[in-house]
Amino acid sequence: WALLITQSRALWGALRRRSIWAPAIFTFFWSASPTADTAMFFFMTEQLHFSPQFLGRIQLVQGLAELLGVYVYNKFLKAVPLRKVLGWTLVAGTVSGATQLILVTGANRAFGLSDKLFALGDSVIIQALHRIALMPLLVLAARICPEGVEATLFATLMSIGNASAGASATLGSALTALLGVTSTNFGPLPLLVTLCTLTRLLVLPMLVMLPTSLDGESAPPAAEAKDDTDEANTLL
């Protein structure tokens, strides 16, 4: 019980510091923007008539694209300041998300690209950029974890990430219903994709919340958190 109380006090002390809660809030809103994934799934199956086998190929390509994203981040972006990477990946992810409008409107056919070919290529770009954008968030979570409560705080931050994913799906479903997109009515789908894409940019001004110290290889907050752990030990 003594260890549990010590860890709880150290965790609470860490969460009260701006250097911890500001990145946690940023992480939540980064992933909480509404998504049109469900509507796009029905569009591809009901409107474009993609088979389960082809959807499986898309999933395979997306998995390979994620590995590519990890490689690109580790090879070229690992040493780049964290806030700079977050900012550029946010913008690039928004632009890549907008390419779904090409598939939804059928504009790809004007360039001689079939729906299946474009969907495969688009999935590679979107998923690779998504993984590149996710990597700095994981690095951010690791850097702000203080000594003594590393595992607990990291698990807390990952829980916040899971909660934001749930919020994203809920907001996306609500927006889909509000616009009247159904499995038989895809007329408002371009508007839905546009709104979901643009809302990602709302988190861009929140980059200023992140401490500049996070751009380094180590996180100074860890030393501060050690003081919280020592203080908790003293109180016991």
Side-chain angles (χ1 to χ4, degrees):
W1 285 107
L3 179 60
L4 177 61
I5 295 175
T6 300
Q7 293 291 316
S8 299
R9 288 177 175 174
L11 178 61
W12 175 244
L15 292 174
R16 287 186 302 173
R17 292 200 311 277
R18 186 181 184 277
S19 59
I20 302 296
W21 60 255
I25 292 176
F26 175 83
T27 300
F28 178 84
F29 282 102
W30 173 286
S31 303
S33 58
T35 175
D37 289 349
T38 301
M40 285 299 299
F41 172 79
F42 281 103
F43 175 77
M44 289 189 290
T45 55
E46 301 297 330
Q47 186 74 14
L48 301 181
H49 305 293
F50 287 174
S51 66
Q53 291 80 8
F54 182 73
L55 292 177
R57 295 191 188 101
I58 291 180
Q59 291 290 330
L60 174 62
V61 169
Q62 287 177 340
L64 296 175
E66 288 193 357
L67 293 177
L68 175 63
V70 173
Y71 172 79
V72 170
Y73 178 82
N74 286 327
K75 184 70 174 179
F76 304 105
L77 301 175
K78 190 175 181 180
V80 178
L82 193 60
R83 294 198 301 177
K84 186 175 182 180
V85 175
L86 287 170
W88 280 110
T89 52
L90 179 60
V91 174
T94 302
V95 173
S96 67
T99 59
Q100 289 184 324
L101 286 171
I102 299 177
L103 183 63
V104 169
T105 59
N108 54 286
R109 302 189 197 103
F111 299 99
L113 296 175
S114 66
D115 293 332
K116 289 186 176 182
L117 180 61
F118 184 84
L120 281 173
D122 193 44
S123 296
V124 171
I125 297 174
I126 291 178
Q127 207 63 30
L129 287 174
H130 173 74
R131 178 56 57 175
I132 293 174
L134 182 62
M135 291 299 293
L137 289 179
L138 296 175
V139 173
L140 173 63
R143 285 185 180 177
I144 65 175
C145 287
E147 183 180 349
V149 288
E150 298 95 332
T152 305
L153 183 56
F154 189 83
T156 301
L157 293 173
M158 292 301 99
S159 297
I160 292 175
N162 292 335
S164 65
S168 174
T170 301
L171 290 174
S173 298
L175 191 57
T176 299
L178 180 64
L179 295 178
V181 179
T182 66
S183 59
T184 56
N185 177 29
F186 298 105
L189 185 55
L191 178 58
L192 174 64
V193 173
T194 301
L195 292 176
C196 289
T197 301
L198 293 179
T199 53
R200 298 175 186 173
L201 294 175
L202 294 178
V203 76
L204 194 58
M206 298 180 67
L207 279 172
V208 298
M209 296 175 58
L210 301 180
T212 56
S213 59
L214 292 176
D215 287 337
E217 288 297 325
S218 60
E224 300 174 11
K226 186 177 186 302
D227 294 337
D228 289 338
T229 305
D230 293 340
E231 180 181 353
N233 290 328
T234 301
L235 291 175
L236 289 175

